[in-house]
Amino acid sequence: MANGHGEAVHAPMKGYEPKTWLQKYIRSWQYHNAQTGWNMPQGIAVGKQSFFGKILPVPGLIITTFLSAAILYGIDQPPFIDNDFYDFVSTHRSSIQAILNLLTSVFGFAHLHVVTSVINFSTRILLTQWAPTLDRLKMWRALSNRNIDLALPFTFLAPLTVVWALALGVGSLWTGALTPNLVSRNITADIPLPFYAPDPDGRAWNQTWTPIAPHVVTRSPLGTFSYAPAYDRGNSMINTAAGVIYDKDANGKRPRSDKTGYTYSTRSYGVGSSLGLAQSFSKGYRHPMAYHYQEIGYNASVVCIFNASSQWGIMPPTDVGQDEQPYIPNIYWAKGASPDGALFWQLQYSAIDDSNVVSINAHPDLNSTGKGTVMIATGNTQGGPYLELNQTQCSVEFIPTLFNINVNLSSSVITVDRADSALDMDPTAQANATFTAWRCHTLLDTLASLENSTTGCGNYTSQGQPGLGNIATRALRQLNDLSVLDTSLHTSSLGEMFSSLIQNENLYYDNITNYKDLNITDLISNSSSPDTTTNAYIKEYSVEQGLKSLIDDSLMAFASAQLVLHYENSSHVTTGSLTVGAVLVGTRGYVYSLFAFNLLLILILIEEMFRTRCWANLPLFDYNDLKGVIVASSMGGKDLANKVVATHEERESVWVADPHDKTASDIRVQLKCREDGSVELVSVQDHEYGLTGGDSM
């Protein structure tokens, strides 16, 4: 065949034309395996792309491969801990975003350059084998440049949309894979805990205590610390207990009775004292978030009943004659017998009348049950404010328990959960152990003989019991001391505490839970319970909760005193975990997707290089090069122009270079090589091309 200039050109392939995508793909492999040049006689130098021009996409893909592999490896590694880097990421978000935008653009371009290069190289070779329509050639150019050409037919917009979406998606993958995320990481931490070492000489926690002798106390900005918290923290302990509804107020917080600023989300059980008192165990990390560790303590179980036959009561002073005026204030005694047969008396109470007196007697049972007994008595004056507490009797059991302690450092909230049973932490809580305790106790034969007796007060040697050593005994003793120390002429702080708890329970059962909106009318109108059974339950339950809180705070005070007063030999270290701020580069889903996409590009690039023998027949001509297109078209003669003019003449119009002009859309062109090695872009007739099923791409 000859062109308009009389020069020989080589016709495109004719014959069998594959129709399906698979047939076209197999045919392309066969063609490239057999081809040594494109439509050229032997000995003619063909204008082919240089090797350097062919491998331009490879270096960028190598960089992205190593980087995506490194990110994939790092996503399964522990988050990166560095104080300075964490500070930079958390305080320079705009700078981080600017850096991310730059890196995303660079690495996204490297990926997209592989995609567009494969499309460009393959279609440039295809242009030498088949004759695409001008619209299809425009689509190839739009694909190579990642443009949406709205002048193309609607059917061509689908592949353009895919490539355009890919251009946006690749950037998102890189952004998600490179963004540094502020996360947390758990590391091992050594946490000091209070430790009750054997103290047979009574120099530390096992020291002898009497109410009439001074006790060791330390005052600091963190609080007041001693082994007699009823004297030093009594008001704080009572105020804390007054607001307790353990199993009903899920959002309630219980402040510690020191000044460390920590609060408990539920019961403290007397554990967690290390926080704020022991030396810092954050290992120099500037962003500690939480602690998790275990500690042995006591789960103080309290069960209360109303005992109508209780013999613990309030009595007037015995040295006031029948005809004499009573003292102002009156001095009252608390005396009586406990359920196990022991007879007790207690220190005096000063009050206007006995209606303001609430007496607590708490002591270990004498019958070696391993439990303690708490008896509550009030004055018998009719209409007294605390009369409903009278004759309440409780059993207290100190259960050695291993607790899980979780500390949220951002909110300073400690959560304590029971984990398992444990060995007793108190060396004196053994059957063969003894310790010295203070008690006003007599073993007279009858209660009547106790009327005029004030003997029997002092230190005595107590026999230890499992779960009831000196620590538990002293915790019970704090209840006695609180009832004496916090009684004034007109009121009892303990009585007010129990009344507040009972009122809270009444409000709960009357379905009033928004305590912040309550007023005096609410308190008065909703103070009664539906029936006597519920009323009795509420009273007993409220007393149980109050006693638990006071005992927990007493145990907490003992543990705190261990750390503050005798830190050198009264603590040991346990292994826990510290949660610190860390940085993790990338999000798992984005990292996996990026690596898979990068791997897909590698496979596509390798497949195309094998299929085309490393693009052996890739011409220098590039339809993206405007200069090359103009020159190659002019060298092809006027056939293409004549076809366009003739078509417009038939329609009585002229070609004005309108991108939406469909007149030239179906004209086919092909890149051909002359015998002298120069190339031209010529028009090809359909019958000449032998096309029966459409071109390949």
Side-chain angles (χ1 to χ4, degrees), residues 45 178 360 410 497 510 565 575 687:
L178 291 176
I360 292 183
S410 62
M497 179 200 78
D510 286 334
L565 302 181
T575 300
H687 71 276

Side-chain angles (χ1 to χ4, degrees), residues 414-427:
I414 305 172
T415 302
V416 182
D417 297 304
R418 288 171 289 181
D420 202 352
S421 59
L423 297 176
D424 203 307
M425 60 184 177
D426 187 350

Side-chain angles (χ1 to χ4, degrees), residues 107 146 195 236 292 297 313 370 503 688:
F107 297 129
R146 306 188 299 278
F195 176 62
S236 176
H292 314 275
Q503 183 66 68
E688 220 179 343

Side-chain angles (χ1 to χ4, degrees), residues 10 12 38-39 47 123-132 617-623 628-629 632-633 668-674 678-684:
H10 296 271
W38 46 283
N39 302 325
T123 53
R124 282 162 62 186
I125 294 176
L126 193 60
L127 187 59
T128 69
Q129 304 171 26
W130 290 291
N617 297 308
L618 180 63
L620 281 171
F621 174 82
D622 187 350
Y623 47 72
V629 171
S633 299
R668 297 182 177 276
V669 295
Q670 185 182 21
L671 185 67
K672 296 185 178 182
C673 185
R674 300 184 179 192
S678 60
V679 297
E680 58 185 358
L681 193 63
V682 299
S683 171
V684 177

Side-chain angles (χ1 to χ4, degrees), residues 276-302:
L277 296 180
Q279 62 187 19
S280 174
F281 33 92
S282 61
K283 295 185 176 181
Y285 295 106
R286 292 203 296 264
H287 305 285
M289 296 180 175
Y291 295 116
H292 314 275
Y293 64 96
Q294 292 184 319
E295 183 178 351
I296 296 176
Y298 283 129
N299 173 19
S301 174
V302 182

Side-chain angles (χ1 to χ4, degrees), residues 257-310:
S257 55
D258 53 27
K259 298 179 181 179
T260 58
Y262 285 95
T263 59
Y264 286 86
S265 60
T266 53
R267 285 185 64 180
S268 70
Y269 298 97
V271 296
S273 60
S274 300
L275 282 307
L277 296 180
Q279 62 187 19
S280 174
F281 33 92
S282 61
K283 295 185 176 181
Y285 295 106
R286 292 203 296 264
H287 305 285
M289 296 180 175
Y291 295 116
H292 314 275
Y293 64 96
Q294 292 184 319
E295 183 178 351
I296 296 176
Y298 283 129
N299 173 19
S301 174
V302 182
V303 178
C304 295
I305 61 172
F306 172 74
N307 182 7
S309 61
S310 174

Side-chain angles (χ1 to χ4, degrees), residues 469-480:
N470 193 16
I471 296 175
T473 299
R474 183 166 288 186
L476 291 173
R477 176 69 205 185
Q478 303 312 303
L479 302 177
N480 300 6

Side-chain angles (χ1 to χ4, degrees), residues 620-638:
L620 281 171
F621 174 82
D622 187 350
Y623 47 72
N624 290 316
D625 178 20
L626 183 61
K627 178 182 68 175
V629 171
I630 293 175
V631 173
S633 299
S634 63
M635 293 186 69
K638 293 186 176 182

